[in-house]
Amino acid sequence: MEARSLPAALELVAGGGVGLSPEKRAVLGASLLLLQRDYRFERVWFWGCIQGVRGAYYIAEGLGPDRAAPRSRLYSLNCVEWSLLPPATEEVVARAELLQGRFQGDPSFEYVYTGISSGDSEQLLEDGKQPVMKEEARLVATIELIDRAVGIVPRGAFVKTPLGSVHENRNFEGLSLTEAKKLSSYFHFTEPVNLKNKTLLEKADLDPSTDFLDSLEHDIPQGSWAVQLEKGGTVVVLRSLLWLGLTFYHVPVTKQYGYVYFGTGEKNLDLPFML
């Protein structure tokens, strides 16, 4: 969610019982603006918080002119001092998916791979040594996994130019209340997968400038999103049941929208059995 509108945005997602203390909000509000200035980001988003056993990671994302370009990710243990995370490579993401259990809250903590299949163990083995992964690497991989799976935006909020860059749509005035209650009105803000498999007939009714992402209506498993009206029916809130703690909000007929994550960084692998 946008750093400048952080206090109001956090109030809109507070219905799930998560959030930040007034002190943390005040510190973050000032800290993120300094972060934007120091790193010369065009925009800074407060991504959320991953709660560890001994501490919490507060996450921010820095954006450039092209909103689809890889984002710079930073974390803080105290909401004041920020450290830049390395890019999340496919190898790191794949290795992080093999880990289970809570984060510790210590970036230098090392995980040892135990209880994995022999095939995965051989793949991870390096120079005959026991494979390990630092928590900082697991952190950036988990952020990437959550963004890919449940990082969402309303339809029409962004436009794709003929040159391929993605920018905020200045003409976007929000979804109507009727449209805002439909999963098809929200898109995954990541590289599309299902869109590439659509036939030409299915693409005929799509606007290439706005419908260039995958919608939520075909997410697997079906039922992985909970859509609710809150604040007297004035705010539409979507909560992910796959990554518990991810909350998206949109105030219909306005430009107010965003998502934030407050959780343990663990995927809900039991979801198919709960539906």
Side-chain angles (χ1 to χ4, degrees):
M1 54 179 59
E2 184 71 40
R4 295 182 183 276
S5 58
L6 187 62
L10 287 173
E11 286 293 336
L12 295 177
V13 299
V18 295
L20 298 172
S21 65
E23 293 81 7
K24 280 283 190 294
R25 292 186 191 186
V27 172
L28 264 178
S31 179
L32 291 175
L33 293 178
L34 292 175
L35 190 69
Q36 181 176 353
R37 183 200 66 185
D38 294 343
Y39 282 87
R40 297 184 179 179
F41 294 133
E42 189 168 291
R43 289 286 180 87
V44 169
W45 286 352
F46 176 62
W47 184 88
C49 172
I50 292 181
Q51 184 66 49
V53 176
R54 298 193 295 268
Y57 295 103
Y58 299 92
I59 315 296
E61 292 187 327
L63 294 85
D66 184 358
R67 296 296 190 260
R71 305 166 200 166
S72 299
R73 295 185 173 113
L74 305 98
Y75 74 91
S76 175
L77 300 175
N78 56 10
C79 297
V80 177
E81 299 169 327
W82 295 87
S83 300
L84 190 64
L85 286 165
T89 64
E90 292 299 328
E91 179 188 359
V92 170
V93 171
R95 292 178 61 178
E97 285 190 286
L98 299 174
L99 294 173
Q100 294 182 353
R102 293 281 302 276
F103 279 79
Q104 297 300 307
D106 177 7
S108 61
F109 180 81
E110 292 186 340
Y111 294 90
V112 178
Y113 289 85
T114 58
I116 60 177
S117 66
S118 57
D120 290 332
S121 182
E122 290 176 6
Q123 183 181 355
L124 291 168
L125 220 59
E126 298 174 355
D127 302 326
K129 298 179 181 178
Q130 184 74 12
V132 297
M133 171 176 268
K134 282 196 172 183
E135 183 155 282
E136 187 179 69
R138 185 191 178 191
L139 178 65
V140 70
T142 301
I143 297 169
E144 178 70 18
L145 286 168
I146 294 175
D147 269 344
R148 288 181 187 178
V150 290
I152 61 175
V153 294
R155 180 180 184 271
F158 291 85
V159 293
K160 188 174 185 178
T161 68
L163 297 177
S165 59
V166 175
H167 304 278
E168 292 176 359
N169 185 1
R170 295 181 180 179
N171 296 321
F172 178 70
E173 296 296 338
L175 302 171
S176 66
L177 181 58
T178 303
E179 291 296 319
K181 292 186 286 185
K182 301 177 182 177
L183 283 179
S184 58
S185 298
Y186 301 96
F187 291 156
H188 290 281
F189 198 41
T190 186
E191 187 68 25
V193 177
N194 297 330
L195 186 65
K196 297 177 181 178
N197 300 325
K198 288 182 179 289
T199 64
L200 291 175
L201 188 62
E202 290 174 317
K203 292 180 180 180
D205 295 330
L206 301 180
D207 184 344
S209 64
T210 55
D211 299 320
F212 58 94
L213 301 168
D214 288 335
S215 73
L216 271 59
E217 60 181 334
H218 301 301
D219 278 14
I220 298 174
Q222 289 285 338
S224 60
W225 289 96
V227 183
Q228 297 173 311
L229 289 175
E230 298 187 359
K231 305 289 183 182
T234 59
V235 182
V236 178
V237 175
L238 279 70
R239 291 188 173 88
S240 174
L241 304 181
L242 185 63
W243 287 94
L244 297 172
L246 190 288
T247 306
F248 171 89
Y249 76 94
H250 176 47
V251 181
V253 204
T254 74
K255 296 183 178 182
Q256 297 180 58
Y257 67 87
Y259 67 86
V260 68
Y261 179 82
F262 288 100
T264 60
E266 296 174 286
K267 190 176 183 178
N268 183 16
L269 299 176
D270 296 327
L271 179 60
F273 307 100
M274 297 166 60
L275 297 174

